[in-house]
Amino acid sequence: MTHDHDSDRGHDHGPHPYQPDLEAAPLTHYQAMTQAVGELLIEKGVFSADELRAMLEAIDAKSPAAGARMVARAWCDDAFKARLLTDVNKAAEELGIDAGAIPIRAVENTPDVHNVIVCTLCSCYPRLLIGLPPDWYKSRAYRSRTVREPRRVLAEFGTAIPEDVEVRVHDSTADLRYMVLPARPAGTEGWDETALADLVTRDCMIGVSLPKSPGA
Amino acid sequence: MSKERESGKVLLRRHHDMGGLPAGPVEASEHDYAPWEKRVDAILRLLADSKRRLITTDELRRGIEELGPGAYDEMSYYERWIASVTNNLIEKGVLSVDELGRRMAEISAAWPAGTEEKP
């Protein structure tokens, strides 16, 4: 698509395109790059302004709730749990959740095994199920140490795993991601899925903590 | 991991390959993503979706790794992402260096000094 910079580049935002926000700060080089790349791709018809807006809204709407619903369903329905452990992406579809195209594997915590996920090479993360990763997940300390001394890292999150429980660390890649299926907390017998989902935190699906206890 | 690799005698690690290296305590830090950071994420997801397939996760990662060792210390996470996305788009001929540079200059000139982007 050809265009004239001076006449139509304001289609998305009019003649006074940029408005001050609450936190005043100068525009950085990479913020300008982001704005420029977005505008140019829209003008070239690679995607539309509406598609970009819809994607931004979708990112804002993502939260650990989708993953929590899947965990709660697995706690209540053994057949679903088996399907989840076989193919997370397909199981997600059953609940109307889009887990994306990259395969995700669920790893189950049991009385004998505690699982934790990391991405040593970058920041691979089941973001469509549990939202954008927290800063610490992308930090050098977490990425470096989780594969070597997971118990100490878990302890820094306040999670003590008994010595007789094996800790398994799963290193995510661009082609395969993981989510932890935590163990259902004791004392939740008879709870419905909605109440159970409230106990399922983002961190327990990463494996650095355990689900909230009932009554906490 | 082999001993040779660990000692760096045979195959040097690249800077992003940090699994198992010593590091300080994990600081449980989090911040709410700024609008421009979400915009980077949204641009990448659109470029990578099944409709466009203009960039893959591996291409994004290669672009980040090629920024060099300093990038991990000097650039923030989404700065590395937009730098990689942009380099990939230039390589593929989707954007030219020239038009990008001109547009960035226009945007910076139009920005009221000392203010933040609009959400």
Side-chain angles (χ1 to χ4, degrees):
Chain A
M1 184 166 110
T2 58
H3 63 276
D4 178 327
H5 283 183
D6 294 327
S7 66
D8 84 349
R9 71 159 292 235
H11 63 272
D12 196 25
H13 34 55
H16 297 290
Y18 311 115
Q19 294 165 4
D21 200 349
L22 290 174
E23 291 177 85
L27 183 71
T28 68
H29 176 75
Y30 290 103
Q31 287 170 359
M33 185 181 282
T34 303
Q35 191 67 32
V37 168
E39 289 182 9
L40 289 167
L41 292 174
I42 289 168
E43 286 161 27
K44 288 167 185 285
V46 174
F47 49 69
S48 68
D50 282 343
E51 284 177 308
L52 182 57
R53 239 189 314 273
M55 185 57 85
L56 285 164
E57 281 166 16
I59 289 168
D60 273 333
K62 287 292 173 201
S63 74
R69 273 172 61 208
M70 296 175 67
V71 169
R73 172 67 60 89
W75 284 346
C76 295
D77 179 343
D78 283 342
F80 178 81
K81 181 169 115 179
R83 294 195 293 279
L84 180 72
L85 292 170
T86 307
D87 187 336
V88 169
N89 307 61
K90 251 193 197 154
E93 272 175 40
E94 289 182 39
L95 302 188
I97 296 165
D98 176 13
I102 297 169
I104 300 169
R105 181 168 297 161
V107 287
E108 184 185 10
N109 286 352
T110 67
D112 302 318
V113 175
H114 180 88
N115 296 282
V116 58
I117 64 173
V118 63
C119 175
T120 62
L121 291 173
C122 42
S123 58
C124 297
Y125 187 79
R127 48 178 51 217
L128 293 179
L129 300 182
I130 62 180
L132 294 177
D135 291 338
W136 54 259
Y137 186 83
K138 306 181 287 190
S139 71
R140 176 176 293 274
Y142 186 78
R143 289 167 53 190
S144 301
R145 292 178 49 225
T146 302
V147 286
R148 185 181 285 277
E149 42 183 13
R151 286 176 195 274
R152 287 180 64 178
V153 170
L154 291 173
E156 286 166 29
F157 284 90
T159 304
I161 303 298
E163 279 305 315
D164 60 345
V165 174
E166 180 190 347
V167 174
R168 284 188 195 154
V169 181
H170 304 270
D171 194 355
S172 313
T173 69
D175 305 308
L176 178 62
R177 309 216 164 139
Y178 297 91
M179 69 174 280
V180 174
L181 173 57
R184 180 170 175 163
T188 59
E189 294 72 19
W191 285 36
D192 67 20
E193 279 181 36
T194 313
L196 287 169
D198 283 341
L199 302 178
V200 183
T201 61
R202 175 196 70 197
D203 286 2
C204 80
M205 292 184 277
I206 300 173
V208 294
S209 69
L210 302 174
K212 289 187 262 184
S213 2
Chain B
M1 189 187 309
S2 73
K3 271 193 174 131
E4 290 80 5
R5 181 164 184 209
E6 202 163 17
S7 69
K9 277 179 191 158
V10 172
L11 177 65
L12 282 172
R13 272 175 193 259
R14 293 186 69 192
H15 57 276
H16 66 277
D17 185 6
M18 55 183 74
L21 296 177
V26 179
E27 287 172 29
S29 56
E30 299 186 35
H31 80 288
D32 290 330
Y33 289 101
W36 81 270
E37 295 178 298
K38 291 179 185 170
R39 186 170 292 260
V40 174
D41 212 285
I43 288 170
L44 173 73
R45 286 200 210 180
L46 287 170
L47 292 173
D49 73 9
S50 57
K51 187 172 164 186
R52 279 155 279 258
R53 295 188 196 283
L54 269 169
I55 184 170
T56 66
T57 305
D58 295 298
E59 287 171 324
L60 173 72
R61 192 155 73 79
R62 174 186 60 88
I64 292 168
E65 288 157 13
E66 285 182 350
L67 294 171
Y72 265 95
D73 305 318
E74 290 157 20
M75 293 166 74
S76 74
Y77 183 77
Y78 277 109
E79 286 177 348
R80 298 196 293 263
W81 271 40
I82 192 61
S84 171
V85 166
T86 304
N87 285 338
N88 270 282
L89 291 172
I90 290 168
E91 273 179 14
K92 289 166 196 274
V94 178
L95 298 181
S96 76
V97 173
D98 201 44
E99 67 183 342
L100 178 70
R102 258 184 291 133
R103 182 58 59 91
M104 284 176 67
E106 287 171 19
I107 288 168
S108 297
W111 203 268
T115 60
E116 177 58 72
E117 62 183 329
K118 69 168 186 175

